[in-house]
Amino acid sequence: MFCVPSTEIGAIMNITKGGLVLFSANSNSSCMELSKRIAERLGVEMGKVQVYQEPNRETRVQIQESVRGKDVFIIQTVSKDVNTTIMELLIMVYACKTSCAKSIIGVVPYFPYSKQCKMRKRGSIVSKLLASMMCKAGLTHLITMDLHQKEIQGFFNIPVDNLRASPFLLQYIQEEIPDYRNAVIVAKSPASAKRAQSFAERLRLGIAVIHGEAQDAESDMVDGRHSPPTAKYVAAIHPSLEIPMLIPKEKPPITVVGDVGGRIAIIVDDIIDDVDSFLAAAETLKERGAYKIFVMATHGLLSSDAPRLIEESAIDEVVVTNTIPHEIQKLQCPKIKTVDISMILSEAIRRIHNGESMSYLFRNIGVDD
């Protein structure tokens, strides 16, 4: 296990050295809860700043205290209006840069556009663009949590600390699921198998993988680049060239690799946004004999009708962290539970500000975690 005991972190959460300023870049008050928890754990007051939208929807930031020569930590949790959230962060970072801050550290628990980290069709790698914008605005360090793909760290030319929420989710399983020893960790697709394996090995449980589900948005899809050119152009340029045709993929019927009969099924993933794939996985597990179904993830975007669909589904409980505010969704669906991760974020801030090693927060974390 690589859980970080709360008592151990509490013991080392000393008062930080002077010269630290903590800002929240959110204009939406519902997104400031995590910032307040972090400030309370650090024993500091939130910095004075005004972030608001002009009548023409332009974002305006007014820093109301000196940041000259100080370490500025800007906490930004993603609201439903993700593009406004990004602009708020960029403008505040640039405002601190032009106000001569010593260092500007972004605390972005959920990195937006992280799913767009690969080339799809004739699109673009948007997470690379966002990383470049953040660095150009003046960010000197980034603290985030459970990036959708760890390779996103390579898009930045500044230090990136990609913290993990799994210790807190593992602790929840051990403390809140009384008969978790009779559970099996489930990957709803082969792509999630490594994460599921990590959970299973740390809890000493079995693993099951669902294969053959409907093609999702991140699957390889045919697009214009794969279309063969017309025959007249091929003949005109390469009269004898014959390019072998790749056999198209065809997913088999849904199968569950592993035994879930008479057990608790715990589906693990990094993001819960569109819940259709989770609902389909839950139905499949119920058909295979699972008597309770939990879904656990770091980031609970829970877009659109997700709360209603979860409430009406075979899922017994959805457990997410507070990297993204979802209080409204919890009111709509009592099945949604929250795990607080402000402890590890506040400790990361304290260590960076005091110039201490971050290795303590990455103990026993492997490549696949």
Side-chain angles (χ1 to χ4, degrees), residues 49-344:
V49 63
Q50 281 189 338
V51 183
Y52 58 95
Q53 307 298 316
E54 297 278 15
N56 62 358
R57 302 302 298 163
E58 289 184 0
T59 299
R60 185 175 291 274
V61 172
Q62 299 277 2
I63 297 175
Q64 299 178 320
E65 63 180 85
S66 174
V67 297
R68 182 178 295 272
K70 296 181 179 179
D71 292 332
V72 178
F73 291 83
I74 302 175
I75 303 169
Q76 182 69 315
T77 51
V78 177
S79 66
K80 293 298 180 186
D81 189 353
V82 63
N83 295 325
T84 297
T85 299
I86 291 169
M87 285 305 300
E88 289 171 348
L89 175 63
L90 294 176
I91 294 172
M92 183 170 285
V93 168
Y94 189 65
C96 292
K97 177 183 177 181
T98 54
S99 298
C100 301
K102 177 184 175 184
S103 61
I104 307 167
I105 299 93
V107 183
V108 187
Y110 170 68
F111 187 73
Y113 286 97
S114 59
K115 284 191 174 183
Q116 297 188 48
C117 60
K118 296 179 182 179
M119 180 66 77
R120 302 293 179 189
K121 297 187 178 181
R122 293 182 180 86
S124 60
I125 306 176
V126 183
S127 53
K128 166 62 176 172
L129 171 64
L130 182 54
S132 300
M133 291 167 64
M134 291 168 74
C135 294
K136 187 68 176 177
L139 208 64
T140 60
H141 197 136
L142 178 68
I143 302 172
T144 187
M145 181 165 281
D146 281 337
L147 288 169
H148 186 57
Q149 296 289 340
K150 297 177 183 65
E151 293 80 2
I152 293 175
Q153 294 177 81
F155 294 162
F156 292 84
N157 55 15
I158 58 174
V160 177
D161 286 310
N162 181 28
L163 303 175
R164 305 297 196 274
S166 48
F168 299 92
L169 296 176
L170 289 165
Q171 187 179 45
Y172 184 93
I173 293 173
Q174 292 174 312
E175 294 179 356
E176 302 298 331
I177 304 178
D179 46 353
Y180 82 92
R181 288 293 180 189
N182 188 36
V184 59
I185 305 298
V186 179
K188 70 178 179 68
S189 69
S192 308
K194 285 186 177 180
R195 178 182 294 269
Q197 181 182 358
S198 174
F199 272 67
E201 289 176 352
R202 297 183 191 284
L203 293 169
R204 313 296 190 262
L205 299 176
I207 183 174
V209 180
I210 299 175
H211 180 52
E213 77 280 10
Q215 195 176 50
D216 58 33
E218 290 195 79
S219 300
D220 293 329
M221 300 176 69
V222 174
D223 65 75
R225 294 181 304 169
H226 301 147
S227 304
T230 56
K232 62 179 182 179
Y233 293 116
V234 173
I237 301 171
H238 301 288
S240 61
L241 180 63
E242 291 186 7
I243 300 174
M245 183 70 71
L246 188 65
I247 299 172
K249 292 181 180 180
E250 184 175 337
K251 292 194 174 183
I254 292 178
T255 56
V256 179
V257 182
D259 181 23
V260 297
R263 296 192 178 188
I264 300 171
I266 303 175
I267 304 172
V268 296
D269 212 332
D270 62 329
I271 298 172
I272 302 179
D273 188 2
D274 181 8
V275 297
D276 289 344
S277 59
F278 291 94
L279 302 184
E283 290 295 334
T284 301
L285 294 169
K286 277 288 186 184
E287 292 171 3
R288 300 300 195 279
Y291 72 91
K292 269 189 180 180
I293 298 172
F294 291 80
V295 175
M296 310 200 77
T298 303
H299 310 295
L301 275 68
L302 302 170
S303 302
S304 190
D305 290 334
R308 178 182 61 81
L309 294 172
I310 292 170
E311 185 65 25
E312 297 172 357
S313 72
I315 297 171
D316 293 281
E317 195 168 286
V318 173
V319 183
V320 292
T321 71
N322 57 345
T323 56
I324 297 172
H326 47 260
E327 294 305 315
I328 295 175
Q329 290 90 330
K330 287 175 69 175
L331 293 175
Q332 296 171 338
C333 177
K335 291 182 179 180
I336 300 172
K337 309 296 181 183
T338 306
V339 175
D340 181 26
I341 45 81
S342 62
M343 181 188 300
I344 193 169

